[in-house]
Amino acid sequence: MQSREGLLKYILESLKMQVPTPCDLDHFMDVVSDNLHFPTVILLDEISVGLQRCPELDDGFWECLRSLATNHTGGNLAFVLATPESPIEMARNTGHSSPFFNIFGYTAYLGALAEIEARELIASSPIPFTDEDVEWILTQSCCWPLLLQILCREKLFNLEEGENDDNWREEGLRQMKSFTHLQHFQLLCNTDRRGIEFPV
């Protein structure tokens, strides 16, 4: 998805629309404008990565998406962005000035899951985890979905490989360090449900 053409093709294929040749912005806009007749929401996760690392996703690209949403699809197209900061701040911080980033009028701040939700997520593993591992995952992740997924993935890999050691814990903690924006919250909530403090 790190190229403009690749992303445009993926969007069209996901919408079950014909991919034009060439699949450039003009042809993309024509296809979507002519064929989008039902309410559609495009979810863009980790958009900040695209803004930082994908020069082909320039202001012209984002202006095209804005134009589709506001002028060419009869109100049938909307976007939801997942970002660690507001779209306007994110665009400013990455050197983008497209008006696409100021069309988002509602921001929902997503926090940690409730413990029961976190347990349900952990229980969805195709191979069950021990109670001890479940409690450790809950404590270390503070029920943040991303951190839960990292730890659960490492534990599942460990089980699939038939390993019976705790190396997965060290690897999971190492990977969690990448998400510094959650580390502050992890420090604040790094107590278990009985109020006993655990070292970070």
Side-chain angles (χ1 to χ4, degrees):
M1 299 304 162
Q2 294 190 15
S3 72
R4 177 188 288 185
E5 184 177 4
L7 180 55
L8 296 178
K9 284 181 177 179
Y10 179 78
I11 292 171
L12 292 173
E13 289 167 355
S14 298
L15 295 174
K16 310 240 183 307
M17 294 181 183
Q18 184 70 37
V19 176
T21 303
C23 190
D24 56 19
L25 283 178
D26 290 335
H27 288 96
F28 173 81
M29 283 193 68
D30 290 342
V31 170
V32 175
S33 298
D34 293 342
N35 295 288
L36 191 66
H37 305 297
F38 49 88
T40 301
V41 177
I42 295 178
L43 307 174
L44 298 170
D45 191 15
E46 295 189 34
I47 191 171
S48 57
V49 174
L51 291 176
Q52 293 167 355
R53 300 182 191 168
C54 306
E56 290 184 29
L57 304 184
D58 57 10
D59 285 342
F61 171 82
W62 299 111
E63 287 165 14
C64 166
L65 295 187
R66 182 185 193 276
S67 182
L68 279 173
T70 58
N71 300 317
H72 295 279
T73 54
N76 281 323
L77 182 60
F79 293 93
V80 173
L81 308 182
T83 70
E85 58 188 332
S86 78
I88 293 173
E89 290 174 7
M90 179 185 58
R92 187 180 310 120
N93 292 338
T94 56
H96 289 78
S97 60
S98 169
F100 173 81
F101 299 100
N102 65 18
I103 65 173
F104 298 92
Y106 178 74
T107 300
Y109 294 95
L110 304 180
L113 297 175
E115 183 183 334
I116 191 168
E117 296 168 324
R119 287 183 181 278
E120 288 174 6
L121 179 63
I122 294 169
S124 69
S125 170
I127 304 174
F129 299 167
T130 66
D131 290 344
E132 178 187 348
D133 287 335
V134 169
E135 295 304 318
W136 187 87
I137 290 170
L138 289 171
T139 299
Q140 294 302 317
S141 69
C142 294
C143 298
W144 284 91
L146 177 61
L147 304 182
L148 275 166
Q149 289 176 323
I150 289 170
L151 296 177
C152 287
R153 180 187 62 217
E154 290 308 314
K155 177 59 184 172
L156 182 59
F157 287 163
N158 178 267
L159 291 171
E160 288 174 340
E161 295 297 318
E163 298 173 4
N164 195 18
D165 56 42
D166 286 336
N167 291 342
W168 68 272
R169 291 184 180 193
E170 184 178 325
E171 178 59 20
L173 292 174
R174 186 189 67 74
Q175 290 185 30
M176 284 171 47
K177 288 182 181 176
S178 302
F179 301 97
T180 54
H181 60 282
L182 295 178
Q183 296 302 309
H184 170 72
F185 297 106
Q186 187 180 10
L187 285 168
L188 293 177
C189 74
N190 207 12
T191 60
D192 76 354
R193 288 156 297 288
R194 298 181 304 277
I196 301 171
E197 293 191 0
F198 286 84
V200 177

